């Protein structure tokens, strides 16, 4: 049975599960300089029946932040299980640690995007014992082999607008106390149309928060009741309204957690984002600590998406000991101690999206009214999920027609060290990201309004090659035909990229990015000049880097810091997959 057929059959169950778990069911790990993570020990509860004395285990996080290993306090776990987890679960490390301590099961969390979890499942989930995405939708889409068993919601969180308090007051959506007013999706559209609101958001085809928000936008702007239909996707007026709303996106991301971190690190530049309520809370904790304007949570009154954070066992015929270990850990996540930590981290565990432990001091500290947070379940007007085929079509329409077009300059290393496998890997990566048929497999295919520009470089940059829309064939042929020779000067390549950016009159029509790929340490004579030229642009354009082989991470991290961007590590694994991930950020 094909994925679409399976998805169509299972989405009804998914929709029912989301509705049910909205009536079911948040601490953040503190990481020290040596990479060790110790969960907080204060329970802060007003309920004396909470007998938990604090975590005794520890966790260790990888340098890239993509893997976290939790060890119980005993130091001798009964078993270890590995979970493919959404990146947003980094924020509930205390809940995980408590469950690890209580079950005596060690857990390895491998953080990834929703689409990656879907791919893990569809490919057989080799090496994983469980999956923990943000929404049941991604399990239903990816579990074509029917591997997932014992699926349960761990908590819920709505997708909201987080808008800096001063901005929300200026928009007329809040008063000086932080109390927000009723705001509809049409109100948001009006502010985008007038130029008064821009916001950051994850890609609808790469992240659950983006996909859920997009479906909620469409449903709310259509009006009426019931889920989206194919007819709605063919409604030109509705599509025009949604496209106009998405023109407000000024930064895209493939990760909800990275988006939150970007906003927190640059609050003067980024004052609005679409993200999980729980991540808005985590952002506000840091912003307030740093003396910055908090983000106020805005709940669209005419349609909102709620994520049910399901955990499911992956049955690959492992030993009975592994299954029992999963069951012990999963059960420990449902205890009062774990639920307290979920709510302290900004998740909801009560009926209909309420709080189970609203009187707990730390839960009160998370769900602050002055941050616009509303714990009344009536504020959550949850949209109904469309049919499977309609969701698939909706995401395709988003990618090819409705999202804000992207303008991407690919600055690619063709130095002598790239001969052979290096060049082959890069060409394969470019094809994975830009060939319409191949890119469609990852839902990153170029849309009609996209612009992609290739600048091969070695000691000097080559002539640029531009591709408009889906007509990327010539660009990809030149990428394959260009020989690898010479040295490496990434800074001259960047200077050439600056000349290929959209001019000021066009800039607002695109989400713009530079993607730099290199396999070696660069000459540095032009470094300061390249940095000065970037600053002279006076524009916030991310420069994402892909490093592999002997690339210098220090050089690339400096570029990422300069441009509020990110470095992707392609030194192990499939470069094509890395290119796909990078494209998901634009």
């Amino acid at each position: 049975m094909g994925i679409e057929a399976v998805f169509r059959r299972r989405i009804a169950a998914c929709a029912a599960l989301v509705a049910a778990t909205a009536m079911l069911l948040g601490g953040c790990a503190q990481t020290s300089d040596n990479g060790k993570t110790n969960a907080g020990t204060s329970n802060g509860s007003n309920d004396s029946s909470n007998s938990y004395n604090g975590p005794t285990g520890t966790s260790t996080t990888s340098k890239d932040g993509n893997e976290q290993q939790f060890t119980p306090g005993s130091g001798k776990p009964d078993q270890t299980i590995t979970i493919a987890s959404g990146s947003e679960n980094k924020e509930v490390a205390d809940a995980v640690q408590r469950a690890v301590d209580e079950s005596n099961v060690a857990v390895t969390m491998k953080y990834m995007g929703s689409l990656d979890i879907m791919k893990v499942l569809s490919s057989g989930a080799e090496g994983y014992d469980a999956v923990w995405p943000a929404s049941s939708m991604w399990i239903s889409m990816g579990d074509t082999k029917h591997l997932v068993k014992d699926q349960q919601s761990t908590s819920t969180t709505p997708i909201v607008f987080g808008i800096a308090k001063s901005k929300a007051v200026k928009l007329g959506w809040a008063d000086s106390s932080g109390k927000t007013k009723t705001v509809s999706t049409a109100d948001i559209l009006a502010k985008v149309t007038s130029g008064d609101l821009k916001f950051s958001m994850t890609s609808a085809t790469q992240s659950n928060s983006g996909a859920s928000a997009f479906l909620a936008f469409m449903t709310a702007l259509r009006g009426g009741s019931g889920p989206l239909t194919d007819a709605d996707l063919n409604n030109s007026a509705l599509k025009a309204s949604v496209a106009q709303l998405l023109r407000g996106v000024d930064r895209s991301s493939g990760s909800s957690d990275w988006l939150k971190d970007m906003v927190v690190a640059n609050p003067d530049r980024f004052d609005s984002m679409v993200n999980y309520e729980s991540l808005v809370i985590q952002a506000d904790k840091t912003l307030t600590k740093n003396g910055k304007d908090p983000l106020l949570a805005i709940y669209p009154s005419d349609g909102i998406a709620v994520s049910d954070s399901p955990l499911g066992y992956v049955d690959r015929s492992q030993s009975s000991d592994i299954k029992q270990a999963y069951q012990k850990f999963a059960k420990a996540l449902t205890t009062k101690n774990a639920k307290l930590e979920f709510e302290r981290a900004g998740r909801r565990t009560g009926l209909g999206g309420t709080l189970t432990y609203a009187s707990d001091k730390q839960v009160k500290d998370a769900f602050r009214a002055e941050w616009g947070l509303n714990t009344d379940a009536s504020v959550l007007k949850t949209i109904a999920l469309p049919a499977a085929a309609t969701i698939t079509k909706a995401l395709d329409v988003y990618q090819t027609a409705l999202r804000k077009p992207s303008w991407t300059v690919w600055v690619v290393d063709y130095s002598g060290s790239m001969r052979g496998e290096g060049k082959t890997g890069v060409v394969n990566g470019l094809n994975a990201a830009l060939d319409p048929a191949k890119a469609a497999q990852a839902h990153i295919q170029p849309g009609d309004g996209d612009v992609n520009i290739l600048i091969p470089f070695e000691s000097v940059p080559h002539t640029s090659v531009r591709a408009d829309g889906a007509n990327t064939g010539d660009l990809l042929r030149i990428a394959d035909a260009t020989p690898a020779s010479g040295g490496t000067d990434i800074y001259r390549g960047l200077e050439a990229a600056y000349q290929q950016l959209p001019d000021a009159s066009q800039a607002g029509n695109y989400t713009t990015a530079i993607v730099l790929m290199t396999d070696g340490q660069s000459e540095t004579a032009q470094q300061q000049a390249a940095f000065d030229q970037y600053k002279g642009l006076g524009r916030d354009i991310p420069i994402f880097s892909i490093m592999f082989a002997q690339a210098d991470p220090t050089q690339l991290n400096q570029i990422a810091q300069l441009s509020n961007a990110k470095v992707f590590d392609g030194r192990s694994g499939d470069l094509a997959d890395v290119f796909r991930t990078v494209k998901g950020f634009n």
Side-chain angles (χ1 to χ4, degrees):
M1 183 181 295
I3 184 170
E4 185 170 296
V6 172
F7 188 24
R8 183 181 300 111
R9 176 175 61 82
R10 299 187 67 200
I11 197 68
C14 174
L17 177 61
V18 172
T21 54
M23 295 190 301
L24 294 175
L25 335 158
C28 181
Q30 300 173 344
T31 305
S32 60
D33 293 339
N34 63 9
K36 289 277 183 148
T37 303
N38 297 307
T41 59
S42 173
N43 61 46
S45 175
N46 294 328
D47 187 336
S48 61
S49 65
N50 178 25
S51 59
Y52 187 76
N53 294 319
T56 54
T58 60
S59 73
T60 303
T61 304
S62 63
K63 289 183 178 180
D64 63 7
N66 292 332
E67 183 173 314
Q68 193 167 6
Q69 297 180 332
F70 294 84
T71 304
S74 68
K76 297 180 180 180
D78 297 332
Q79 289 290 341
T80 298
I81 61 173
T82 301
I83 302 175
S85 168
S87 63
E88 69 284 343
N89 286 330
K90 293 178 183 180
E91 307 300 337
V92 295
D94 278 0
V96 175
Q97 187 66 63
R98 286 199 170 196
V100 165
D101 287 343
E102 293 187 6
S103 64
N104 202 43
V105 174
V107 170
T108 298
M109 300 275 277
K110 294 191 176 182
Y111 299 113
M112 59 190 73
S114 296
L115 184 72
D116 295 307
I117 294 176
M118 184 179 75
K119 288 176 60 181
V120 161
L121 283 172
S122 63
S123 64
E126 186 65 31
Y128 294 97
D129 303 304
V131 290
W132 193 355
S135 170
S136 301
M137 177 171 67
W138 303 98
I139 294 179
S140 293
M141 291 178 71
D143 190 22
T144 57
K145 302 180 187 298
H146 310 296
L147 300 175
V148 178
K149 315 292 183 186
D150 302 328
Q151 183 177 328
Q152 65 181 45
S153 173
T154 59
S155 61
T156 61
T157 188
I159 290 87
V160 302
F161 276 79
I163 301 179
K165 180 179 177 180
S166 57
K167 181 76 171 182
V169 171
K170 185 177 179 179
L171 292 170
W173 294 348
D175 61 26
S176 59
S177 72
K179 183 178 180 180
T180 58
K181 300 178 181 179
T182 301
V183 178
S184 69
T185 306
D187 293 331
I188 296 169
L189 172 59
K191 294 298 185 183
V192 169
T193 301
S194 66
D196 294 319
L197 176 65
K198 294 185 181 300
F199 57 92
S200 302
M201 174 177 156
T202 60
S203 166
T205 63
Q206 303 302 305
S207 172
N208 177 70
S209 65
S212 299
F214 166 64
L215 292 173
F217 294 162
M218 287 209 79
T219 304
L221 290 175
R222 181 210 57 192
S225 60
L228 288 172
T229 65
D230 287 358
D232 295 327
L233 299 180
N234 292 324
N235 184 317
S236 58
L238 175 59
K239 289 164 65 177
S241 294
V242 175
Q244 180 62 36
L245 176 55
L246 293 174
R247 293 183 79 82
V249 176
D250 64 350
R251 261 301 186 99
S252 183
S253 168
S255 163
S256 304
D257 195 61
W258 186 84
L259 182 70
K260 179 265 297 180
D261 289 343
M262 179 192 73
V263 171
V264 168
N266 305 277
D268 296 332
R269 162 63 183 87
F270 302 105
D271 60 13
S272 305
M273 71 172 176
V274 174
N275 215 325
Y276 301 109
E277 176 190 62
S278 60
L279 293 189
V280 171
I281 290 171
Q282 295 303 324
D284 281 347
K285 289 180 177 180
T286 304
L287 290 169
T288 301
K289 180 181 178 181
N290 294 341
K292 298 294 185 178
D293 207 12
L295 303 174
L296 299 188
I298 302 294
Y299 305 81
S301 61
D302 49 358
I304 196 167
V306 176
S307 294
D308 61 330
S309 190
L311 175 69
Y313 177 64
V314 175
D315 188 355
R316 297 180 291 102
S317 300
Q318 302 99 307
S319 68
S320 60
D321 290 344
I322 294 295
K323 184 174 183 179
Q324 290 173 5
Y326 166 82
Q327 291 173 334
K328 288 170 63 179
F329 171 72
K331 183 178 180 180
L333 279 180
T334 69
T335 64
K336 175 178 180 178
N337 294 323
K339 286 184 178 183
L340 267 171
E341 294 300 350
F342 277 121
E343 294 199 350
R344 291 169 180 172
R347 303 282 185 92
R348 302 172 182 235
T349 68
L351 295 175
T354 58
L355 296 176
T356 304
Y357 301 106
S359 63
D360 178 80
K361 181 179 178 181
Q362 293 182 43
V363 174
K364 287 181 177 179
D365 191 54
F367 289 87
R368 300 185 193 179
E370 62 265 33
W371 291 346
L373 295 159
N374 192 332
T375 58
D376 187 337
S378 65
V379 78
L380 305 180
K381 185 178 179 182
T382 308
I383 65 164
L385 285 174
T390 302
I391 290 181
T392 301
K393 290 179 182 178
L395 294 180
D396 283 341
V397 170
Y398 164 88
Q399 182 64 26
T400 59
L402 299 186
R403 66 177 170 85
K404 193 174 185 177
S406 63
W407 184 300
T408 312
V409 184
W410 302 84
V411 185
V412 181
D413 191 342
Y414 276 79
S415 60
S417 58
M418 289 291 295
R419 293 190 190 100
E421 291 184 2
K423 178 186 166 182
T424 299
V426 167
V427 170
N428 288 343
L430 286 169
N431 273 272
L434 300 180
D435 177 87
K438 294 179 180 178
Q441 298 174 19
H443 304 287
I444 56 170
Q445 64 267 41
D448 292 340
D450 289 352
V451 175
N452 284 282
I453 298 172
L454 172 67
I455 301 178
F457 76 93
E458 16 94 11
S459 294
V460 295
H462 296 200
T463 302
S464 62
V465 184
R466 173 169 168 160
D468 291 287
N471 300 315
T472 58
D474 287 344
L475 183 154
L476 293 172
R477 280 191 289 273
I478 292 173
D480 187 37
T482 300
S485 63
T488 304
D489 194 331
I490 61 178
Y491 304 105
R492 290 187 182 276
L494 290 178
E495 289 175 329
Y498 303 155
Q499 305 304 312
Q500 299 300 323
L501 298 172
D503 60 36
S505 65
Q506 297 176 294
N509 298 325
Y510 299 93
T511 54
T512 305
I514 296 171
V515 179
L516 168 67
M517 195 292 307
T518 184
D519 78 331
Q521 188 167 8
S522 174
E523 302 168 22
T524 59
Q526 288 297 116
Q527 182 186 60
Q528 191 58 51
F531 286 3
D532 289 343
Q533 284 187 41
Y534 178 87
K535 294 174 183 176
L537 294 172
R539 297 161 64 181
D540 179 64
I541 297 171
I543 304 174
F544 297 109
S545 299
I546 302 172
M547 66 174 175
F548 70 103
Q550 303 305 311
D552 184 345
T554 299
Q555 291 179 330
L556 300 182
N557 282 321
Q558 290 173 338
I559 294 170
Q561 185 175 9
L562 173 73
S563 64
N564 297 322
K566 176 180 173 66
V567 178
F568 296 85
D569 194 344
R571 290 175 294 185
S572 61
D574 186 1
L575 259 183
D577 194 53
V578 176
F579 272 77
R580 177 197 66 74
T581 301
V582 175
K583 194 68 187 78
F585 278 70
N586 193 39

